[in-house]
Amino acid sequence: MCYAIPGKIEKIEKNTVTVDYFGEKRKALNELTEINVGDYIYAQGGFVVSKVSSSEAESILALWKETFFHLQEVDLRLSRLNLGDNNADKRLLEILDKASQSKELGRDELLYLLELKDPAGLELFFKTANFLRQKYHKNSCCVHGIIEISNYCLRACRYCGISSHNKELQRYRMTKKEILESAQVAVQDYGFKSLVLQSGEDPGYSADELADIIKEIKERFPALIFVSFGEIGIEGLQKLYKAGARGLLMRFESSNPRIYEEVHPGQKLESRLIHLQQAYKMGYMIITGGLIGMPGQTSRDILNDIFLAKELHAEMFSFGPFIPHPNTPFAVLPSAQVEEVIKVLAVARVIDNAQAKILVTTALETLSREAAKKGLLAGANSLMLNVTPLAYRKFYSIYPNRAHQSEDIAVQIEATISLLRSLGRAPTDLETI
Ligand code: SAH
């Protein structure tokens, strides 16, 4: 979004460019044809997204210069870790000490963290995850925009408010023109560099139609495009990649096939995993994860979920709480607790401290206004804002009263920028080299 810093190309080697941000060097993949050393660009998620004119880049950089170093200082201060000199449980201290040195933890140690309840212990654990986030990812934070293009769905997932069993929901399907307009608003008016297009599994769009929309967005409003249309088939994924999509957001929801099959009648976990594996092979960046709080789910299941996300080469982990929807078979089940989800984010950071970005999901923000801050201070470094037109947003009702459901994009951006600034986070999400 507008919270983005242009970088200067220092070196080009085949399709990899080295980009300079106030002296820090980062790498990104380039698919633009006309790019030279000395040009300014915006990059996101490891990809060069667009070129920026020198005059525009230099004026933005002048505004950022002082802020950039100030943010680094704030982040460094907030992520300091002191494991000595406190009364925490000895076993916890041993585990956190090991984690803080990036030593691999055993399953029993990870389970110990996932099952931790004591508030003082949790605080120390979250601080350790935040320390690891800073150590490997510095203060970078990425912000994606999501456009929910249709709430039609042919699946009957038992927890989901837009699944086919919800007969009371008003359905919508955005036209190509509406999708392009939303992309234009997000990219041109608000400066988003990365967009997720999401829908239910909607047979109302063919893969060719979706590919055509993606191609036009890429041509007219350059952004990194993630797709999240469910199981559209391997050929469908290929078509969308060819059209310019570079990311797939698809949760496997639960790594336990028994739970998966119980909550997704008529569906197989294997089929979901094949999509994720094939997409990775095609070159897609993967965002995946699961739902926390499914009936019968144990800490062991959740730990397996985190390992599965890593095994699937997740560029970004997306773990969020289950929230009951009144018009679903799961209406009477309890929501997952905020703390339980933050623990998952923190364990994910401990398991994969160097590679993955970790998302604070809208569902978590729905459970608590403070959740985004808490998550970002417990290992997370990524957010998603809703840029679906307001007229449609309330109908993408996967669970009720979603955070940002009726907030204008400008309002969400303002709140996000103020949160990120207070935490010392900067918008370059590329890895430092
Ligand atoms: N059709 C796409 C998008 C599904 S909706 C796909 O299959 O991937 C996006 C996500 O919403 C799902 O992956 C699911 O994890 C989440 N979701 C659905 N119902 C929910 C609920 N009641 N509480 C929390 N998250 C929910």
Side-chain angles (χ1 to χ4, degrees):
M1 51 178 206
C2 43
Y3 196 58
I5 307 181
K8 193 173 191 172
I9 306 277
E10 287 230 317
K11 202 157 81 182
I12 303 180
E13 283 166 314
K14 289 196 186 139
N15 58 352
T16 304
V17 296
T18 304
V19 194
D20 175 272
Y21 294 93
F22 298 114
E24 279 185 7
K25 313 290 173 208
R26 318 227 169 160
K27 271 199 191 318
L29 280 176
N30 171 47
E31 295 180 339
L32 305 182
T33 42
E34 301 249 326
I35 213 160
N36 297 301
V37 169
D39 285 346
Y40 287 98
I41 51 118
Y42 279 121
Q44 181 96 33
F47 281 90
V48 176
V49 172
S50 58
K51 213 168 135 172
V52 200
S53 74
S54 304
S55 56
E56 188 184 338
E58 277 157 18
S59 68
I60 299 172
L61 287 172
L63 288 174
W64 264 106
K65 194 165 182 189
E66 264 176 48
T67 318
F68 188 77
F69 294 108
H70 169 70
L71 290 175
Q72 281 184 332
E73 268 170 41
V74 173
D75 179 42
L76 206 58
R77 180 163 46 78
L78 293 176
S79 57
R80 248 173 231 143
L81 179 67
N82 180 5
L83 289 174
D85 203 23
N86 66 61
N87 304 321
D89 175 83
K90 203 162 157 272
R91 171 127 199 252
L92 176 65
L93 281 176
E94 273 169 21
I95 296 174
L96 295 183
D97 186 51
K98 214 168 140 184
S100 70
Q101 297 175 54
S102 309
K103 291 186 183 153
E104 198 174 314
L105 299 188
R107 275 187 75 91
D108 54 332
E109 294 171 314
L110 293 163
L111 280 172
Y112 181 93
L113 295 177
L114 269 181
E115 287 170 0
L116 198 62
K117 293 262 185 280
D118 157 54
L122 280 174
E123 195 184 322
L124 213 53
F125 168 33
F126 296 158
K127 281 194 158 178
T128 307
N130 190 35
F131 167 81
L132 286 168
R133 189 269 315 149
Q134 200 283 331
K135 181 168 163 192
Y136 290 98
H137 296 262
K138 301 287 189 292
N139 67 337
S140 69
C141 187
C142 63
V143 183
H144 298 269
I146 182 164
I147 308 176
E148 293 143 347
I149 65 168
S150 156
N151 70 352
Y152 280 92
C153 190
L154 48 74
R155 302 289 188 186
C157 310
R158 299 181 72 197
Y159 50 82
C160 182
I162 67 164
S163 84
S164 57
H165 53 231
N166 187 357
K167 303 292 181 220
E168 278 159 55
L169 182 65
Q170 185 176 326
R171 303 282 168 168
Y172 72 89
R173 178 180 298 124
M174 286 168 68
T175 60
K176 176 178 175 185
K177 185 163 170 276
E178 287 175 315
I179 299 169
L180 286 168
E181 274 165 12
S182 299
Q184 177 170 20
V185 168
V187 174
Q188 286 186 345
D189 300 353
Y190 292 107
F192 280 87
K193 306 287 174 268
S194 154
L195 291 179
V196 180
L197 303 180
Q198 188 175 76
S199 70
E201 281 191 28
D202 179 2
Y205 301 113
S206 67
D208 288 315
E209 282 167 320
L210 292 170
D212 176 54
I213 293 169
I214 289 165
K215 197 158 168 271
E216 198 158 334
I217 296 178
K218 290 290 293 181
E219 278 163 13
R220 295 176 52 195
F221 319 115
L224 176 62
I225 307 284
F226 284 81
V227 291
S228 182
F229 308 128
E231 295 182 33
I232 58 162
I234 306 309
E235 206 185 310
L237 284 172
Q238 267 156 350
K239 286 183 178 168
L240 303 191
Y241 189 88
K242 200 160 163 253
R246 287 294 174 268
L248 174 70
L249 163 56
M250 182 189 265
R251 286 179 170 169
F252 50 79
E253 316 292 359
S254 170
S255 61
N256 179 332
R258 191 183 46 75
I259 297 180
Y260 186 92
E261 279 157 37
E262 240 169 63
V263 302
H264 302 106
Q267 295 188 61
K268 290 264 178 249
L269 176 60
E270 193 55 28
S271 164
R272 199 100 177 147
L273 298 183
I274 289 172
H275 275 78
L276 284 157
Q277 287 153 350
Q278 292 299 320
Y280 178 72
K281 280 195 192 148
M282 285 175 216
Y284 276 98
M285 244 185 285
I286 303 294
I287 305 184
T288 191
L291 266 175
I292 313 298
M294 290 281 93
Q297 190 182 41
T298 63
S299 312
R300 280 169 204 279
D301 290 324
I302 294 175
L303 187 57
N304 290 339
D305 290 352
I306 304 173
F307 277 118
L308 178 58
K310 186 171 159 68
E311 204 179 299
L312 291 166
H313 310 276
E315 165 82 15
M316 188 188 291
F317 291 130
S318 167
F319 284 92
F322 157 72
I323 300 174
H325 189 293
N327 301 338
T328 62
F330 282 5
V332 294
L333 296 180
S335 289
Q337 300 291 308
V338 175
E339 213 91 291
E340 294 304 310
V341 181
I342 308 255
K343 274 196 274 184
V344 176
L345 307 186
V347 169
R349 177 55 72 216
V350 165
I351 289 178
D352 193 344
N353 41 42
Q355 299 294 322
K357 298 182 181 94
I358 297 178
L359 180 69
V360 172
T361 60
T362 310
L364 186 59
E365 291 186 75
T366 301
L367 290 184
S368 150
R369 286 180 142 265
E370 286 281 280
K373 182 173 175 185
K374 283 189 184 167
L376 291 170
L377 287 174
N381 56 351
S382 170
L383 294 169
M384 218 172 260
L385 304 192
N386 198 317
V387 296
T388 309
L390 271 174
Y392 293 130
R393 230 184 271 168
K394 59 180 172 299
F395 300 120
Y396 199 81
S397 160
I398 44 184
Y399 51 84
N401 306 316
R402 290 189 305 151
H404 317 302
Q405 187 168 281
S406 46
E407 270 170 28
D408 207 57
I409 305 175
V411 174
Q412 293 179 60
I413 291 182
E414 206 182 299
T416 306
I417 290 182
S418 108
L419 173 65
L420 293 180
R421 291 213 162 156
S422 73
L423 300 179
R425 304 296 169 91
T428 50
D429 71 340
L430 306 177
E431 297 306 319
T432 43
I433 48 175

